[in-house]
Amino acid sequence: MRRYISAYFEDEGNLLRAAKDLKENNISIQDVLTPFPVHGLDSILGFKKSLIPTVGFISGAIGTMVAFGFQTWAFTVDYPLFIGGKPHFAIPSFIPITFELTVLFAAFGMVFAFLIRSKLGPGAKKTIHDERITDDHFVIIVDLDESGSQDGKVKDILSKEEAQDIKVKEIEL
Amino acid sequence: MYVSPIREPLIRGQKTYKKITQDIAAPIEGKPGKAWYAGIALTGSALLFGLAMIGYTIWEGIGTWGLNKTIGWGWGITNFVWWIGIGHAGTFISAILLLFRQKWRTSINRSAEAMTLFAVICAGLFPLIHMGRPLLAFFVFPYPNTRGLWVNFNSPLLWDVFAISTYFTVSLLFWYVGLIPDIGTIRDRVKSKLKKWIYGLLSFGWTGSAKHWQRHESISLILAGLAAPLVLSVHSIVSMDFATSVIPGWHTTIFPPYFVSGAIFSGFAMVLTLLIITRKVLNLENYITVGHVESMNKIIIATGSIVGIAYLTELFMAWYSGVEYEQYAFMNRATGPYWWAYWIMMSCNVISPQLLWFKKLRRSLVFTFILSIFINIGMWFERFVIIVTSLHRDYLPSSWEMYKPTIVEVGIFIGTLGLFFTLFLLFIRVFPVIAIAEVKGVLKSSGEKNPKSDKN
Amino acid sequence: MANNYTFTRKTQYWIMSIVGIGILLLIVGYFINTPSRQELWTNILINNLFFLFIALFGGVFQALHKIAYSGWHTALQRIPEALTSFLPIAAALMFLLYFGMHDLYHWSHEGLHDPILEGKAAYLNIPFFFIRMAVYFLGWIGLTYLLRKNSLQQDTISDLRYYRRGKFLAAIFMVFFALSSSAMSWDWIMSIDGHWFSTLFGWFVFIGLFEIGIATIILMISFLKIKGYLEFINKEHIHDMGKYLFAFSIFWMYLWFSQYLLIWYSHIPEETAYFAPRLHDFTILFFTILVLNFVIPFFGLMTRNSKRNLKWLTVMAIVVLCGQWLNIYMLVIPGTIGKTAQIGVVEIGFVCLYLGGFLYVVFSSLAKAPLLSKNDPLLEESFHYET
């Protein structure tokens, strides 16, 4: 059995303070759902830096090599042809396409990384916790232990920050 | 984040988060009014006319156009460059202005980027039709083929293929990634089962989880970082179609940055033309405020002046170079048979935007609207002047010619205008015109302050 | 910490020793291998341009941010203001060229029998050259002086009037600069290779100026921070300066490449004549410039942390400054001295001499006003912002 508590806030200021309080009391926060990115939340929840920029760099570098390598191979090895008095290995000529493919690969790499890591995509099965989350409510979902020893403390912290609809839910595993 | 009180609020009317959602989702939820039907009937018929002319061109051949021996690139390429240019504002707004932390972009980036996509679609049509046999258009991609040939990587026209397809794809990705949370909002609001299913599918299962937001912000920033040089590269490469040649008036090194500046200039003009109407019709005056219009006008004046300096630089260099062909080309532009096109370009692009130095005019919607139309016209003529005047009198005086478009070319152009506006009209019924989540993010810092109920 | 920068004896001593080293190197250079008149004037021109660009950027930095309603820059306002104090001296040094015209500019000779240069004589002639020079400097010095004065007045009286006037002056400066910066680069640099022309040239030089200026401001911040000043400049400011250095190194490369590609591609002899000697006689330098100005800052400043680390950013700024100095060297040298040119004791001596003088002027000016301006309505934003 897994137990958790969910509570709704109307203002991100309350949410931030509540999350900070909970973290300071070593209570694990399962998830926070917000209608827009709340600044400062990442650091309170202790998120590590996203690796998406790294993915972008690597896929971009692959794009660079594919594009430059392919053009070089096609024009110097596979089918060397004189065009407009340019050398076969015409570096300046290859740069525009190389640049474009670098950007293209990096963009695709990052978007796929984002979707896969977040398990988002067409037809992704996600439970919609509450329809107000994408509108004007901030939800915090806090894990509780089975014994219920933390319940009181968590509720205190939440209600101090004017949380509404504080509900304990249980799901059978 | 502190914002100085002397800054104008970006969101007027003391909004709450809920109110923002309601206001922006309203056009999607409500029934379209008479104006919308009238609009789409008009743009739809323009589109149909264009399609008929495209069909005619493909059936009969390029001979139906007014092209001739020296002027092999006429309206088709003019329109192509014009549309690509218009397609530059959207990504400029969402990428470069994001990097420069311009918060006012949040109200206009969504619709401007949609315009980018539609404009690039319109632009892409022209080279396709101009090929004469559009069914063989895939020849431009380097795929292993039975002819054993590769495409010509030395050709700027091929760079264009890569630049524009990359630009379209990356803009689409950028736009869609930004749209995912807002589609989630719409999904949670629509009532009908079918709509809920469709928006659910399109929302990619967005939940608003903090971790997802963190990644979302990170990817938006890096995509912006990538899109910024991409915007510069696209029009630069388009300009290289001309500038790598040895045609006087085309071969000039200032072309890449000058084309980019011109593109942003014309793009902003089109964004203003459309948004001034849209904000009124969709009741979004509190989000797209006069302050937003003023900011865009400032970009217009900056880019317009850069274009002006480029014109002057070209003229000066033509004289300074001492190359008689170069000198003639510019003389011919200003005083030759196409002098009227040159002076339309000069007055619309360089002289008229200077009026925006007056604050009163910058903040006048009527004036801005009229000016934006002038700039659209002026920038169209800029491309016409560059393309036609340089070609119609080249090195060989025996083949000097004049160029006049036929009804078919004009029809195709009208058709793309129809396509562009039709797509935009459909867009405003289907997706939120303003980035809901982003606007909510700046509400606290840049919304109109409510004196009594600021709890925190 | 004190609000004012004190130009200490020790710092003055260091600056004087840079000047001293410069003079020493010049004397040594004179005895090893006496430089020709042409070499002397070329050195003067290169360093004139380099330090003028730094000073000019002070104006550009203020003006650009003012007209863009930027808030973040207001805390470091005083540094660009101090940079512009070198402008009058840069002007004096530039007018010295009157005595070196023949050694630098081929077109200034009489009776050339060169039809191309004769065609340009209406523009390229000595009186008009100096009239234009006077106009540029009048505009730059006048407008930056007014900007500085306005900013100092704002310190004493809290009134939005100064804020508005600052924006107004900034707009005028930008317009004047947009026109004059292109023309200046044609006059002083492009006309060295009298036959050659490129429409992009002015903008290319301008981006170089931008890089030089940003790198200098980074170094100034770094220096003042080490000395314990500027506690109000936080990581976010550093990050923004890093972003500038990074972004404009890419932009510089973009313009460099646009110009090179179009000339390489079209292969018109009149135009390739410019790149041929640069590529063949100065091959190593040619590519070194690209590495210093693009490759190193591009990879060095790609990550977020590298832009926020002031020490690393300082290293990058020095690399870029060297790269940009070499870039100006490359713009000037092949048209004047030609392939025999070398970077030796004399060149370094001149740089030291100029650097010392420049630092002395700028730091004296910096010490005259509080390091943090007051009463700017956007100032508060500069302390609370995140990137």
Side-chain angles (χ1 to χ4, degrees):
Chain A
M1 191 180 72
R2 230 174 116 186
R3 303 175 64 242
Y4 63 91
I5 192 164
S6 67
Y8 292 74
F9 297 96
E10 279 186 341
D11 192 287
E12 68 267 32
N14 297 108
L15 169 80
L16 283 173
R17 280 190 296 269
K20 202 168 182 176
D21 259 9
L22 290 169
K23 274 279 164 190
E24 278 166 6
N25 284 297
N26 285 324
I27 294 163
S28 96
I29 297 171
Q30 195 192 76
D31 206 350
V32 179
L33 307 176
T34 59
F36 60 86
V38 177
H39 277 280
L41 193 60
D42 318 1
S43 52
I44 291 175
L45 295 179
F47 285 160
K48 271 184 260 161
K49 242 178 73 188
S50 166
L51 282 177
I52 283 181
T54 318
V55 175
F57 178 76
I58 294 170
S59 45
I62 294 172
T64 311
M65 285 184 286
V66 167
F68 198 80
F70 182 77
Q71 294 180 75
T72 309
W73 173 78
F75 266 24
T76 59
V77 182
D78 192 51
Y79 206 129
L81 191 67
F82 280 109
I83 298 159
K86 304 278 172 290
H88 293 316
F89 184 47
I91 302 171
S93 266
F94 295 166
I95 285 177
I97 292 179
T98 306
F99 171 78
E100 298 299 330
L101 287 193
T102 305
V103 172
L104 188 67
F105 274 53
F108 266 116
M110 286 193 302
V111 171
F112 281 129
F114 165 63
L115 294 178
I116 291 167
R117 285 287 289 144
S118 308
K119 297 201 177 62
L120 294 173
K125 288 264 177 296
K126 295 265 184 186
T127 35
I128 310 300
H129 197 82
D130 190 301
E131 292 189 344
R132 289 175 298 175
I133 302 166
T134 53
D135 183 2
D136 62 341
H137 279 68
F138 302 82
V139 180
I140 193 161
I141 302 167
V142 183
D143 288 321
L144 296 173
D145 49 6
E146 282 181 33
S147 60
S149 59
Q150 293 173 319
D151 290 23
K153 198 167 172 193
V154 172
K155 276 184 190 160
D156 275 355
I157 294 173
L158 293 174
S159 48
K160 194 177 84 197
E161 292 298 344
E162 301 172 27
Q164 308 156 347
D165 288 353
I166 305 177
K167 272 189 201 130
V168 179
K169 291 184 184 165
E170 296 178 356
I171 31 172
E172 297 297 331
L173 288 178
Chain B
M1 194 171 243
Y2 175 85
V3 172
S4 168
I6 67 158
R7 288 193 199 269
E8 212 179 324
L10 295 177
I11 304 157
R12 293 210 169 268
Q14 294 168 11
K15 300 289 179 189
T16 58
Y17 296 138
K18 186 153 201 79
K19 197 86 187 70
I20 291 177
T21 321
Q22 280 168 352
D23 285 349
I24 300 175
I28 305 169
E29 290 163 347
K31 284 258 177 302
K34 279 205 187 83
W36 188 82
Y37 283 112
I40 203 145
L42 187 72
T43 61
S45 27
L47 173 59
L48 285 178
F49 180 55
L51 284 176
M53 291 298 125
I54 292 175
Y56 183 63
T57 303
I58 294 170
W59 186 258
E60 282 288 320
I62 299 293
T64 56
W65 292 8
L67 304 174
N68 54 45
K69 207 159 156 205
T70 37
I71 303 136
W73 283 7
W75 268 52
I77 303 304
T78 305
N79 296 333
F80 161 73
V81 182
W82 187 68
W83 276 121
I84 282 285
I86 286 173
H88 272 57
T91 311
F92 179 86
I93 290 171
S94 34
I96 298 185
L97 295 187
L98 176 88
L99 297 179
F100 280 109
R101 292 196 298 270
Q102 298 293 314
K103 286 186 187 160
W104 55 274
R105 89 179 186 286
T106 52
S107 297
I108 53 171
N109 57 0
R110 172 67 43 74
S111 48
E113 257 199 273
M115 285 179 221
T116 291
L117 295 172
F118 306 149
V120 176
I121 292 172
C122 291
L125 271 176
F126 285 98
L128 201 70
I129 308 166
H130 207 164
M131 285 174 190
R133 293 165 75 185
L135 294 179
L136 298 180
F138 61 90
F139 274 24
V140 301
F141 290 105
Y143 64 98
N145 53 56
T146 47
R147 304 179 300 283
L149 288 168
W150 294 115
V151 287
N152 180 6
F153 295 114
N154 281 322
S155 165
L157 298 177
L158 185 77
W159 306 343
D160 239 4
V161 171
F162 278 87
I164 287 160
S165 44
T166 301
Y167 185 56
F168 184 76
T169 319
V170 174
S171 295
L172 186 67
L173 287 176
F174 196 12
W175 182 68
Y176 201 79
V177 166
L179 201 49
I180 289 174
D182 290 357
I183 296 178
T185 306
I186 302 296
R187 170 200 66 202
D188 293 347
R189 285 181 65 88
V190 288
K191 297 284 176 277
S192 103
K193 258 223 156 99
L194 177 70
K195 277 188 184 169
K196 218 172 188 80
W197 183 77
I198 294 173
Y199 282 112
L201 202 66
L202 293 175
S203 74
F204 284 12
W206 181 258
T207 59
S209 160
K211 187 70 199 171
H212 295 177
W213 273 124
Q214 186 208 13
R215 295 200 186 104
H216 190 270
E217 285 213 291
S218 166
I219 193 172
S220 300
L221 193 67
I222 309 285
L223 272 180
L226 281 174
L230 184 65
V231 178
L232 298 186
S233 81
V234 174
H235 226 61
S236 298
I237 291 176
V238 169
S239 82
M240 286 168 192
D241 291 347
F242 306 102
T244 50
S245 70
V246 291
I247 310 270
W250 282 14
H251 175 70
T252 161
T253 48
I254 207 169
F255 257 31
Y258 143 55
F259 262 51
V260 172
S261 182
I264 293 164
F265 180 56
S266 68
F268 267 83
M270 186 56 101
V271 169
L272 277 170
T273 311
L274 269 176
L275 283 189
I276 287 177
I277 300 174
T278 309
R279 69 191 278 278
K280 186 91 195 156
V281 176
L282 300 184
N283 296 319
L284 295 172
E285 282 116 323
N286 283 324
Y287 301 94
I288 303 168
T289 65
V290 178
H292 286 86
V293 172
E294 193 190 0
S295 296
M296 285 193 263
N297 273 334
K298 284 182 185 158
I299 303 234
I300 295 245
I301 193 172
T303 48
S305 304
I306 294 175
V307 168
I309 289 176
Y311 291 163
L312 296 179
T313 308
E314 277 190 325
L315 283 176
F316 174 77
M317 281 299 157
W319 170 80
Y320 178 89
S321 70
V323 179
E324 55 178 320
Y325 307 105
E326 202 73 33
Q327 287 169 346
Y328 178 76
F330 282 89
M331 213 47 190
N332 184 42
R333 273 187 190 175
T335 60
Y338 287 108
W339 64 271
W340 47 275
Y342 183 83
W343 290 105
I344 290 175
M345 161 188 115
M346 267 294 181
S347 43
C348 290
N349 293 348
V350 184
I351 300 163
S352 66
Q354 301 305 325
L355 289 169
L356 291 175
W357 286 105
F358 300 102
K359 188 166 179 142
K360 262 236 168 67
L361 293 176
R362 272 203 308 264
R363 296 183 69 89
S364 154
L365 293 175
V366 177
F367 175 79
T368 307
F369 184 75
I370 296 169
L371 182 75
S372 72
I373 305 252
F374 269 96
I375 295 171
N376 283 321
I377 295 170
M379 285 307 289
W380 190 90
F381 272 99
E382 180 199 292
R383 279 63 178 251
F384 181 81
V385 165
I386 292 173
I387 292 163
V388 173
T389 63
S390 280
L391 284 179
H392 89 123
R393 290 188 172 175
D394 63 2
Y395 294 106
L396 209 60
S398 65
S399 40
W400 284 7
E401 260 293 4
M402 289 296 284
Y403 164 77
K404 217 169 72 218
T406 62
I407 183 76
V408 182
E409 285 162 285
V410 181
I412 295 174
F413 178 56
I414 293 173
T416 51
L417 284 172
L419 176 63
F420 180 79
F421 291 115
T422 307
L423 287 170
F424 190 76
L425 283 171
L426 292 174
F427 158 75
I428 59 173
R429 309 290 330 164
V430 178
F431 290 128
V433 194
I434 291 174
I436 304 176
E438 286 190 56
V439 168
K440 284 178 185 163
V442 300
L443 176 66
K444 279 276 164 68
S445 57
S446 303
E448 197 168 330
K449 293 286 179 291
N450 189 345
K452 55 180 191 322
S453 79
D454 216 356
K455 273 194 291 193
N456 298 293
Chain C
M1 198 63 215
N3 206 7
N4 270 59
Y5 168 72
T6 22
F7 194 14
T8 56
R9 270 293 168 88
K10 206 172 134 203
T11 317
Q12 289 183 8
Y13 170 78
W14 277 108
I15 289 175
M16 280 307 141
S17 35
I18 296 177
V19 176
I21 293 171
I23 293 170
L24 200 72
L25 285 176
L26 288 182
I27 294 168
V28 173
Y30 183 81
F31 283 112
I32 299 175
N33 189 0
T34 315
S36 64
R37 262 178 71 89
Q38 197 178 33
E39 277 173 302
L40 286 177
W41 282 113
T42 312
N43 269 304
I44 290 172
L45 177 63
I46 292 169
N47 291 300
N48 269 358
L49 290 169
F50 186 77
F51 289 94
L52 165 70
F53 285 179
I54 299 178
L56 255 185
F57 182 74
V60 176
F61 186 87
Q62 293 175 58
L64 263 186
H65 288 98
K66 279 201 164 67
I67 55 176
Y69 284 76
S70 142
W72 72 273
H73 83 286
T74 40
L76 38 91
Q77 178 92 331
R78 283 291 138 84
I79 298 175
E81 276 173 21
L83 291 182
T84 56
S85 63
F86 186 71
L87 275 175
I89 295 166
L93 289 166
M94 218 56 199
F95 276 99
L96 272 186
L97 290 189
Y98 183 75
F99 305 102
M101 287 302 276
H102 289 340
D103 295 304
L104 290 168
Y105 301 102
H106 183 63
W107 55 261
S108 67
H109 293 256
E110 310 248 329
L112 280 168
H113 305 298
D114 182 330
I116 295 177
L117 289 182
E118 273 162 23
K120 301 178 186 192
Y123 186 77
L124 293 183
N125 58 66
I126 290 177
F128 192 27
F129 182 88
F130 283 98
I131 292 171
R132 285 196 303 272
M133 189 184 279
V135 172
Y136 306 152
F137 276 108
L138 272 179
W140 296 334
I141 294 173
L143 288 165
T144 52
Y145 170 76
L146 290 176
L147 274 168
R148 164 88 166 173
K149 200 174 110 186
N150 186 58
S151 160
L152 291 179
Q153 277 174 339
Q154 193 174 32
D155 270 11
T156 53
I157 310 162
S158 175
D159 190 338
L160 278 182
R161 201 172 70 211
Y162 298 109
Y163 167 71
R164 292 203 196 94
R165 188 187 293 160
K167 273 216 308 254
F168 178 71
L169 287 170
I172 296 178
F173 179 85
M174 275 325 285
V175 171
F176 182 77
F177 179 80
L179 294 167
S180 58
S181 71
S182 279
M184 139 196 110
S185 62
W186 304 332
D187 286 5
W188 301 337
I189 313 177
M190 196 166 86
S191 79
I192 294 172
D193 299 89
H195 286 191
W196 186 73
F197 56 93
S198 166
T199 39
L200 185 60
F201 194 78
W203 292 359
F204 173 66
V205 170
F206 165 65
I207 296 302
L209 181 155
F210 205 102
E211 277 285 276
I212 294 172
I214 287 292
T216 310
I217 293 182
I218 290 173
L219 292 184
M220 297 271 286
I221 293 174
S222 187
F223 172 79
L224 290 171
K225 278 247 174 209
I226 290 169
K227 292 275 164 202
Y229 298 96
L230 299 183
E231 69 287 346
F232 47 84
I233 298 288
N234 56 36
K235 278 261 187 257
E236 309 298 338
H237 294 103
I238 309 291
H239 191 175
D240 278 344
M241 296 306 291
K243 281 194 255 183
Y244 268 141
L245 196 67
F246 176 69
F248 279 87
S249 73
I250 300 174
F251 201 76
W252 180 89
M253 189 67 221
Y254 158 69
L255 289 186
W256 185 96
F257 179 72
S258 298
Q259 181 169 277
Y260 181 79
L261 175 83
L262 293 177
I263 289 174
W264 171 83
Y265 200 106
S266 301
H267 217 287
I268 297 174
E270 286 89 333
E271 295 182 348
T272 48
Y274 182 79
F275 279 112
R278 282 168 175 78
L279 190 53
H280 297 132
D281 302 339
F282 297 90
T283 314
I284 296 170
L285 187 59
F286 188 84
F287 292 105
T288 310
I289 289 171
L290 302 186
V291 171
L292 293 181
N293 284 313
F294 172 67
V295 180
I296 294 178
F298 178 74
F299 287 104
L301 292 173
M302 196 182 258
T303 63
R304 181 183 149 92
N305 287 341
S306 62
K307 295 190 205 85
R308 296 173 77 87
N309 181 338
L310 186 55
K311 274 191 195 129
W312 179 243
L313 199 55
T314 307
V315 176
M316 286 295 128
I318 293 171
V319 170
V320 168
L321 276 180
C322 294
Q324 289 294 344
W325 189 90
L326 289 173
N327 183 45
I328 296 179
Y329 181 84
M330 184 67 127
L331 293 175
V332 171
I333 286 289
T336 52
I337 302 176
K339 57 173 132 187
T340 54
Q342 282 176 340
I343 297 180
V345 195
V346 177
E347 276 71 18
I348 297 168
F350 264 109
V351 173
C352 290
L353 198 62
Y354 270 78
L355 181 67
F358 175 81
L359 290 178
Y360 192 84
V361 173
V362 169
F363 281 124
S364 323
S365 160
L366 196 63
K368 281 191 192 119
L371 279 174
L372 183 60
S373 61
K374 270 197 298 218
N375 298 333
D376 192 312
L378 298 175
L379 187 61
E380 197 58 27
E381 282 185 11
S382 193
F383 305 134
H384 312 279
Y385 79 105
E386 38 192 276
T387 47

